Amino acid sequence: LYCDTYVFVRTHVSVNPAKLKSHRQRWNVRPSEMSKKTLNPIRAIVDGMKLTPNPEKPMIALSIGDPTVFGNLPTDDTVLQAVKEAIDSHKYNGYAPSVGYQKSREAVANFYSCPEAPLEGKDVILTSGCSQAIELAISVLCNPGDNILVPRPGFSLYKTLAVSMGIQVKFYNLLPEKSWEIDLQHLESLIDDKTACLIVNNPSNPCGSVFTKEHQHKILAVASRNCIPILADEIYGDMVFPGCDFQPLAPLSSDVPILSCGGLAKRWLVPGWRMGWILIHDRNYIFGTGIREGLVKLSQRILGPCTVVQGALESILNDTPPEFYQGTISFLKSNSEICFSELSTVPGLNPVMPSGAMYIMVGIEMEHFPDFQNDVEFTERLVTEQSVFCLPATAFEYPNFFRIVVTVPEEMMIEACIRIREFCARHYRPRSQDSHELDQ
């Protein structure tokens, strides 16, 4: 028997000699196609800019959407105390379910539930920040070859995530002359049989706009006519100025299913804590069990968000005093008004007054600034000459604008506006008499 086996093995090997050389002959380690397709437009643009500040002027960075950078907007003490108590309890040092602790999910559901759009714990998926919430939502709704509808100007992460997954991005226009409302006709013209999702960002990054209830009803009508689910990015929800009302999209929907993404980052001023969520609003059971199960499976690729913050979540949501939110909003509105007032009188600039969030968009009449070809060059030279860094809106697919973050201390905001005015005065060129006559 031994000999027969030996002969068989020898014969088998001699017939298939290639198996003796199954190992690779040389190293060939290459990046994945997904990694090669992944590109953050902001980083791609900023990294290519020549950013050498004027050494005679301290740098003022108005480009970073992080409210904690300058230390003037700390979170509330009750928020910190909640985390301290979670740590001291020793209950949150292990793994949680990938979708989050049930108690924490129920806390989020109770906080956002309303009669028009009721929520239970099972309708909440906790995520590692709102960015992961958006990633999971896109991943569960779309396949490679599908397309999604994304606002222009809009948050660059939508494109970064979609393109890396082989999903086409179609940009629908926002209208600056209408406080950045959606061009609904343009939006609907982009829909085809491969459209898997409409992304609606309200309040908006980078625009600082807040849609009216009437406008949101019109958005829902477009989605309803075309049977397109909505990903509602509402991370800046309720971060709106007095006199303006934020209305979440889901309570307005009678038939359009919505995945609403949010988190602690902006309203509670703790972006580094990485706590986000998806709220599943399944109108008419259109998502059914499939989308829910898909979200659970996708969440299992990593083991969920920080357990300590989950442990503190119920207290953070329920015990943070209203005065904290009001103080933040009051500051943001004041800075926005200062910026808008100062830049509105600068020849060649057209700021659009925001209604919420942390940003203001400023249009550049490029024909009056012949020293620069585009907004990237304009903002690049603004750094070189004035040490003021604003993000060129090309990063948001919207050239000839720039975005200002209004979370900086007030005195810094005023100084930045003074420098921007000086910069524009130096480079502004009125239209010549000859060109004016040619236009007649």
Side-chain angles (χ1 to χ4, degrees):
L1 179 63
Y2 174 80
C3 290
D4 288 344
T5 305
Y6 179 75
V7 171
F8 171 77
V9 172
R10 294 283 295 176
T11 303
H12 181 71
V13 170
S14 64
V15 173
N16 299 283
K19 290 201 171 184
L20 294 175
K21 295 184 178 181
S22 61
H23 63 280
R24 294 178 180 174
Q25 301 299 307
R26 61 178 63 86
W27 289 99
N28 187 24
V29 182
R30 297 180 179 178
S32 69
E33 289 303 310
M34 183 177 184
S35 70
K36 288 192 286 186
K37 290 177 182 176
T38 301
L39 177 69
N40 185 321
I42 294 178
R43 287 265 51 90
I45 291 170
V46 172
D47 290 349
M49 296 173 71
K50 300 178 181 67
L51 299 176
T52 306
N54 184 338
E56 297 180 1
K57 298 187 176 185
M59 184 69 170
I60 301 177
L62 304 178
S63 57
I64 306 170
D66 180 348
T68 72
V69 169
F70 296 96
N72 59 311
L73 289 174
T75 192
D76 193 74
D77 286 343
T78 58
V79 177
L80 299 176
Q81 186 60 35
V83 173
K84 292 174 183 175
E85 291 175 1
I87 293 172
D88 290 341
S89 74
H90 300 285
K91 295 179 180 178
Y92 307 105
N93 296 331
Y95 292 124
S98 63
V99 293
Y101 289 120
Q102 183 62 24
K103 183 179 180 182
S104 304
R105 297 168 71 192
E106 289 173 354
V108 174
N110 291 336
F111 189 78
Y112 287 102
S113 186
C114 65
E116 300 82 7
L119 291 166
E120 301 177 29
K122 64 183 177 64
D123 302 317
V124 177
I125 306 288
L126 298 185
T127 62
S128 181
C130 188
S131 295
Q132 196 208 6
I134 294 167
E135 180 193 28
L136 293 182
I138 293 175
S139 298
V140 80
L141 294 174
C142 306
N143 286 308
D146 288 343
N147 65 71
I148 61 173
L149 308 178
V150 172
R152 176 172 56 198
F155 185 35
S156 61
L157 183 70
Y158 309 139
K159 179 180 179 180
T160 299
L161 293 171
V163 172
S164 72
M165 299 181 213
I167 299 162
Q168 181 188 4
V169 174
K170 291 186 173 183
F171 293 102
Y172 63 83
N173 292 330
L174 306 183
L175 303 170
E177 67 275 15
K178 293 187 176 181
S179 299
W180 302 108
E181 284 190 348
I182 296 174
D183 183 338
L184 296 169
Q185 184 175 356
H186 181 236
L187 168 65
E188 194 155 14
S189 73
L190 299 175
I191 298 173
D192 60 26
D193 58 0
K194 285 289 188 178
T195 303
C197 173
L198 163 61
I199 296 182
V200 177
N201 178 208
N202 179 50
S204 166
N205 174 13
C207 302
S209 56
V210 181
F211 294 149
T212 64
K213 186 184 295 187
E214 292 73 23
H215 188 59
Q216 290 188 90
H217 275 300
K218 293 177 182 178
I219 298 168
L220 287 166
V222 172
S224 178
R225 277 195 299 274
N226 295 277
C227 301
I228 306 295
I230 291 178
L231 189 171
D233 179 359
E234 297 179 337
I235 186 63
Y236 294 96
D238 290 318
M239 208 175 195
V240 299
F241 302 159
C244 183
D245 178 47
F246 165 70
Q247 172 64 59
L249 191 60
L252 302 178
S253 173
S254 59
D255 64 329
V256 178
I258 296 170
L259 297 180
S260 178
C261 299
L264 293 183
K266 302 303 164 66
R267 190 179 180 194
W268 285 269
L269 307 176
V270 286
W273 290 10
R274 311 312 302 137
M275 176 55 65
W277 46 74
I278 299 173
L279 310 180
I280 304 170
H281 297 279
D282 190 8
R283 292 292 175 270
N284 300 339
Y285 201 61
I286 293 169
F287 284 151
T289 59
I291 295 299
R292 290 176 183 273
E293 291 173 357
L295 285 170
V296 171
K297 290 177 180 179
L298 288 170
S299 73
Q300 290 169 346
R301 293 191 299 173
I302 64 171
L303 291 174
C306 175
T307 54
V308 171
V309 181
Q310 288 188 56
L313 196 50
E314 184 175 17
S315 178
I316 291 172
L317 295 173
N318 297 331
D319 299 336
T320 304
E323 295 78 24
F324 166 71
Y325 307 126
Q326 294 163 4
T328 302
I329 291 169
S330 176
F331 174 83
L332 295 175
K333 182 184 182 185
S334 175
N335 255 11
S336 297
E337 289 175 339
I338 289 169
C339 186
F340 178 78
S341 175
E342 290 296 320
L343 299 187
S344 290
T345 58
V346 175
L349 296 186
N350 295 303
V352 182
M353 181 63 192
S355 299
M358 312 186 310
Y359 313 103
I360 182 169
M361 286 277 276
V362 182
I364 314 167
E365 297 175 2
M366 294 305 304
E367 66 273 18
H368 289 299
F369 297 98
D371 294 343
F372 317 113
Q373 293 187 8
N374 50 46
D375 57 309
V376 176
E377 287 190 8
F378 182 98
T379 52
E380 186 179 74
R381 286 281 291 279
L382 183 56
V383 173
T384 303
E385 296 181 18
Q386 295 289 344
S387 297
V388 174
F389 185 23
C390 305
L391 206 58
T394 291
F396 306 107
E397 307 289 337
Y398 208 78
N400 302 335
F401 274 75
F402 60 88
R403 186 193 75 173
I404 289 176
V405 177
V406 296
T407 56
V408 300
E410 180 179 306
E411 62 274 13
M412 196 175 288
M413 185 88 268
I414 294 171
E415 173 63 21
C417 290
I418 291 172
R419 294 190 198 175
I420 292 172
R421 179 183 294 275
E422 291 177 358
F423 176 81
C424 290
R426 178 178 179 182
H427 294 282
Y428 180 86
R429 301 289 183 273
R431 298 180 67 177
S432 68
Q433 186 66 31
D434 290 342
S435 65
H436 178 71
E437 290 173 354
L438 287 173
D439 289 342
Q440 299 301 311

